[in-house]
């Protein structure tokens, strides 16, 4: 835990050589790391694959912005309310969805996610502000701020934590502290009797039911905890960028956290965080290439070869970066079914493996 804390807090230093030393990108690493940790509690421990976790991400974002508008620009009330409301939504959705298992459970969660996404764009427009998105305004009530004599200046108010800004490296360290706390809680859950019961459910839920063990409260609790993690991630998204839109509830966001968890290693503690970092880093790096930068990269080639190289490369970078991500994901699934963490375990076993003893060579004597 100490090593993990030190690694997270020093990310601006040790990630700079690979071009990731930007606070906005580091914030994404931390936020999606929290999202993936929470999803892993449901999928990695119990084996329930949800395609609708983006609902709780969106609920967390909308709740945070409303807390900024109605209560205070201090992020603590917003974060607490976001997690609580996301937990309530998770309780309602999980109570219905967990009546089924396997693909039927996955389809139910996807249906709830799409329903919430469409409602945010249409019926719930007075709450979500539709396509425009919900944002903070100068003339919002902010009852708690006014109660404590905190006045709004000429510019739009920005989120803060007792005077600390939530942008730049200060914002990253705030997200990093939440990531460390989220990791610590997930570690305690995984190593507790509750976590052992969840792993047993994943191993053979039918056999547990036959023994008289009621698995439903455990799976529902895991679903609610996972939803609260997603609500926290959604809250931090709105904290670093005080705008909430329905696109955060889209099915692609749910699919992204599934990829993060599988890519890093489902059922492990560090794996989902690594998966989140790999995907967000790939998105930032590969999507930044355009034709001009590719022409500059291949400028050493003759013009016909240069044009051919650029034409091929554009399929894998820029707008086509998802193809590169798909290839990486396919290779990981084929050669490392346990994700990146399985690769680390293989390397560790290979490094600790003692060298094989040399076979004694028979000495033939001339006779």
């Amino acid at each position: 835990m100490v090593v993990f804390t030190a690694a997270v807090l020093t990310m601006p230093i040790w990630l700079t050589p690979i071009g990731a030393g930007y606070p906005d990108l580091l914030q994404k690493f931390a936020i999606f790391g929290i999202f993936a940790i929470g999803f892993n509690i449901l999928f990695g421990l119990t084996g329930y694959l949800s395609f609708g976790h983006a609902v709780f991400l969106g609920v967390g974002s909308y709740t945070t912005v409303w807390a900024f508008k109605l209560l205070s620009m201090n992020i603590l009330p917003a974060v607490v309310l976001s997690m609580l409301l996301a937990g309530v939504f998770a309780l309602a959705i999980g109570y219905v969805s967990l009546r089924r298992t396997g693909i039927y459970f996955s389809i139910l969660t996807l249906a709830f996610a799409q329903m919430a996404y469409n409602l945010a764009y249409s019926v719930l427009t007075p709450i979500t502000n539709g396509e425009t998105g919900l944002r903070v305004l100068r003339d919002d009530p902010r009852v708690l701020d006014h109660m404590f004599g905190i006045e709004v200046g000429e510019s739009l108010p920005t989120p803060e934590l007792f005077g600390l800004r939530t942008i730049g490296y200060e914002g990253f360290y705030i997200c990093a502290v939440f990531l460390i706390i989220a990791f610590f809680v997930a570690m305690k859950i995984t190593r507790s009797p509750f976590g052992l019961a969840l792993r047993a459910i994943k191993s053979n839920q039918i056999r547990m039911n036959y023994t008289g063990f009621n698995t439903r409260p455990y799976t529902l609790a895991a679903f609610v905890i996972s939803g609260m993690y997603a609500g926290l991630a959604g809250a931090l998204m709105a904290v670093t960028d005080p705008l909430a839109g329905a696109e955060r509830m889209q099915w692609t966001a749910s699919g992204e956290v599934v990829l993060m968890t599988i890519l890093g290693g489902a059922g492990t503690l560090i794996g989902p965080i690594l998966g989140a970092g790999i995907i967000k880093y790939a998105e930032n790096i590969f999507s930044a290439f355009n034709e001009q930068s590719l022409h500059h990269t291949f400028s050493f080639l003759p013009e016909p070869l240069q044009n051919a190289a650029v034409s091929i490369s554009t399929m894998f970078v820029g707008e086509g970066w998802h193809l590169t991500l798909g290839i990486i994901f396919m290779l990981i699934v084929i050669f490392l079914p346990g994700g990146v963490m399985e690769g680390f375990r293989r390397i560790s076993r290979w490094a600790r493996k003692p060298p094989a003893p040399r076979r004694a060579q028979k000495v033939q004597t001339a006779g």
Side-chain angles (χ1 to χ4, degrees), residues 40-77:
N40 185 62
I41 292 175
L42 178 67
F43 175 56
L45 295 186
T46 68
Y48 277 80
L49 177 59
S50 169
F51 284 133
H53 256 50
V55 171
F56 314 122
L57 197 72
V59 168
S61 293
Y62 280 121
T63 305
T64 296
V65 177
W66 272 114
F68 289 156
K69 294 168 74 65
L70 299 178
L71 299 178
S72 171
M73 294 305 295
N74 191 301
I75 69 172
L76 283 184

Side-chain angles (χ1 to χ4, degrees), residues 10-21:
T10 56
M11 282 173 69
I13 299 174
W14 60 268
L15 284 181
T16 300
I18 60 174

Side-chain angles (χ1 to χ4, degrees), residues 13 15 17-18 25 32 57 143 212 251 281 335 349 363-364:
I13 299 174
L15 284 181
I18 60 174
L25 183 57
F32 281 92
L57 197 72
V143 177
W251 67 270
Y281 180 75
F335 297 104
R349 285 196 298 267
V363 179
Q364 297 180 352

Side-chain angles (χ1 to χ4, degrees), residues 339-358:
V340 175
M341 291 303 295
E342 182 180 340
F344 287 147
R345 286 193 294 267
R346 289 184 183 180
I347 294 173
S348 177
R349 285 196 298 267
W350 175 80
R352 292 198 303 265
K353 186 177 181 181
R358 295 181 178 179

Side-chain angles (χ1 to χ4, degrees), residues 265-325:
T268 64
L269 286 169
I270 300 291
I273 303 174
L274 291 177
I278 291 170
I279 288 182
K280 286 299 157 185
Y281 180 75
E283 177 184 353
N284 183 75
I285 299 302
F286 292 120
S287 64
F289 283 97
N290 52 35
E291 286 196 16
Q292 182 178 357
S293 59
L294 289 174
H295 276 290
H296 179 73
T297 302
F298 296 110
S299 58
F300 63 93
L301 295 175
E303 187 171 350
L305 292 178
Q306 182 185 138
N307 292 333
V310 169
S311 298
I312 295 172
S313 300
T314 51
M315 296 189 299
F316 299 92
V317 296
E319 294 182 358
W321 78 272
H322 287 94
L323 180 57
T324 302
L325 178 62

Side-chain angles (χ1 to χ4, degrees), residues 29 72 112 114 138 168 201 326 363:
F29 287 171
S72 171
F112 276 115
Q114 286 302 105
R138 285 190 69 256
I201 290 171
V363 179

